[in-house]
């Protein structure tokens, strides 16, 4: 695949990004594509290794290694090298329903598992994937594929995140009549309201919605199943139901003063910003949410980084991000060998922007909140933090992060955003369908089938908080099981 000596001749290169101080004045994507000649070189770097871990998609030492969708990475890299983009798109869409999403928001598990990592930099596979799908849309290669024959079977998909959309797309193309129920006013789940526009332009989601509607999928937005839509009616009206509502119950960080005004969950904050932008066609920017405020973000993951980038765009006075865990090393440690996921320091776009404006990294490691401090109006005005240190728990054998006495500090805070992850699915949907739950507050299943006949589950609602690429895989696998249950056989893969 590619050019046998390509990885020796060409260095890794990705598209340019607008400079931080330039891009923070808007909410549009800031990543620019490579010129075609440079893209060809990136395809040439794929070295036809004997065991392509890039498409493995399994777990090593408890972490994913390679693409969970088992994308045919060496094949489409080779086609990029030969500038056969039409064929590259055909190969890509065999495994990936929505490369326009994954090529923007996936952390590139394929690149982390690339064999080139052993001695040099990985192949820019994510960049190649984006070039393929963007070119396919530009050249009109992505067209509706409505089924020629309908089976007469009906399927309801509850939730329109990546898992729900993937299941709906495949089951509809199989010939079943699919209706997707979404509680919000726009489809996409966290793709729409949990990921900022500068990371994923929402026009990409609307474009995919139109394609799916032309194929026959019905979307019912502003319909909250379990609240304003009776689950019993759904069960009576459809042959099968797929619960794909995500793991949207946020983890709280409780401490004295938690009732203070100005403490919000990160996804609520990000959702309000995106909805305001979309509703006004980007004419209104909700500066009032963070302008001239000291913003403290609790959580060091992707959502915390998205909050940092969003706060900067809303003219925050300062941004601080608290991370409970120690600062990762800049290079792989000996106990984290390739092709495991590299546990190394990553400075993402939001953190880059804070650094560009303030000169300081916003992240404070091994630190958490001990107290939220309120002013006379009941508003948060500061937080008291405490340092943490790792200690082995004698009973469990696990490493716990425990407070260090005398390490307390006070940080000014006018807005606190809790980005500490999620604790499972919301109860009301699971209760409405009377499905059994796991100890992690997800739907208990056997091969994607819940404890209730004809009710299946997929995505974060089944596996817990995870990545978009895993959600798409879950949707595909659930669609296969639903199809098998309806028809007695399946041709979905």
């Amino acid at each position: 695949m590619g050019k046998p000596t390509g990885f020796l001749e060409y260095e890794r290169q990705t598209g340019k990004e607008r400079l931080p101080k330039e891009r923070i004045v808007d909410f549009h994507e800031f990543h620019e594509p490579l010129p075609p000649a440079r893209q060809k070189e990136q395809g040439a770097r794929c070295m036809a290794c004997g065991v392509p871990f890039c498409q493995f998609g399994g777990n090593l030492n408890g972490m994913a290694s390679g693409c969970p969708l088992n994308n045919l990475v060496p094949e489409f890299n080779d086609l990029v090298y030969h500038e056969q983009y039409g064929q590259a798109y055909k190969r890509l869409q065999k495994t990936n329903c929505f490369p326009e999403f994954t090529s923007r928001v996936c952390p590139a598990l394929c690149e982390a598992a690339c064999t080139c990592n052993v001695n040099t930099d990985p192949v820019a596979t994510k960049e190649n994937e984006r070039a393929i799908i963007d070119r396919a849309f530009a050249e009109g290669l992505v067209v509706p594929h409505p089924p020629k024959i309908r089976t007469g079977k009906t399927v309801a998909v509850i939730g329109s995140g990546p898992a729900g959309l993937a299941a709906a797309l495949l089951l509809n193309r199989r010939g079943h009549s699919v209706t997707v129920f979404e509680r919000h006013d726009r489809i996409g789940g966290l793709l729409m309201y949990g990921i900022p526009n500068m990371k994923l332009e929402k026009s990409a989601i609307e474009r995919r919605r139109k394609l799916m509607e032309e194929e026959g999928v019905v979307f019912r937005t502003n319909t909250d199943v379990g609240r304003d839509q009776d689950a019993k009616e759904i069960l009576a009206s459809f042959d099968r139901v797929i619960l794909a509502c995500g793991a949207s119950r946020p983890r709280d960080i409780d401490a004295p003063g938690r009732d203070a005004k100005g403490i919000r969950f990160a996804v609520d904050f990000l959702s309000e910003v995106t909805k305001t932008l979309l509703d006004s066609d980007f004419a209104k920017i909700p500066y009032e949410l963070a302008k001239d405020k000291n913003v403290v973000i609790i959580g060091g993951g992707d959502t915390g980084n998205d909050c940092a980038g969003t706060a900067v765009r809303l003219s925050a006075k300062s941004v601080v991000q608290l991370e409970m865990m120690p600062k990762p090393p800049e290079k792989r440690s000996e106990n984290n060998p390739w092709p495991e996921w590299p546990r190394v320091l990553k400075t993402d776009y939001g953190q880059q922007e804070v650094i560009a404006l303030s000169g300081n990294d916003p992240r404070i490691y091994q630190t958490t909140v001990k107290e939220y401090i309120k002013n006379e109006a009941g508003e948060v005005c500061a937080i008291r933090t405490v340092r943490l240190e790792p200690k082995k728990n004698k009973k469990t054998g696990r490493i716990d992060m425990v407070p260090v006495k005398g390490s307390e500090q006070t940080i000014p805070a006018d807005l606190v955003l809790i980005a500490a992850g999620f604790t499972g699915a919301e109860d009301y949907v699971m209760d409405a369908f009377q499905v059994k739950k796991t100890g992690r507050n997800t739907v208990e299943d056997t091969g994607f089938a819940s404890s209730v006949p004809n009710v299946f589950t997929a995505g974060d609602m089944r596996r817990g908080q995870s990545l978009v690429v895993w959600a798409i895989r879950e949707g595909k696998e659930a669609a296969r099981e639903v199809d098998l249950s309806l028809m007695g056989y399946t041709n979905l893969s």
Side-chain angles (χ1 to χ4, degrees), residues 157-165 180-182 186-189 191 219 244-245:
V157 178
I158 317 301
S160 67
L165 290 178
V180 180
F181 294 84
E182 169 56 51
R186 294 177 175 89
I187 72 158
L191 287 174
F219 290 100
C245 304

Side-chain angles (χ1 to χ4, degrees), residues 46-89:
C46 192
M47 57 191 286
C49 52
V51 181
F53 280 93
C54 55
Q55 58 190 44
F56 167 46
N59 284 316
L60 293 176
N61 197 17
M63 296 174 291
S65 177
C67 179
L69 290 172
N70 309 119
N71 283 342
L72 306 171
V73 175
E75 295 185 31
F76 71 64
N77 278 335
D78 176 62
L79 291 165
V80 168
Y81 168 54
H82 288 98
E83 299 181 277
Q84 297 180 19
Y85 278 90
Q87 290 298 318
Y89 169 64

Side-chain angles (χ1 to χ4, degrees), residues 141-159:
L141 301 179
V142 187
V143 296
H145 292 285
K148 295 181 180 180
I149 300 174
R150 288 289 178 184
T151 63
K153 306 294 185 180
T154 57
V155 180
V157 178
I158 317 301

Side-chain angles (χ1 to χ4, degrees), residues 170 173-176 479-480 483-484 487-493:
L170 294 180
R173 288 183 178 177
R174 179 72 167 91
H176 308 310
R480 188 179 188 280
D483 184 44
L484 183 62
M487 307 298 290
Y489 72 101
T490 184
N491 60 9
L492 297 178
S493 59

Side-chain angles (χ1 to χ4, degrees), residues 209-228:
R209 171 183 177 154
K210 290 178 181 178
L211 282 166
M212 292 178 67
E213 287 178 331
E214 290 176 25
E215 293 181 356
V217 176
V218 175
F219 290 100
R220 289 182 56 183
T221 55
N222 291 310
T223 305
D224 197 350
V225 175
R227 286 182 173 152
D228 53 34

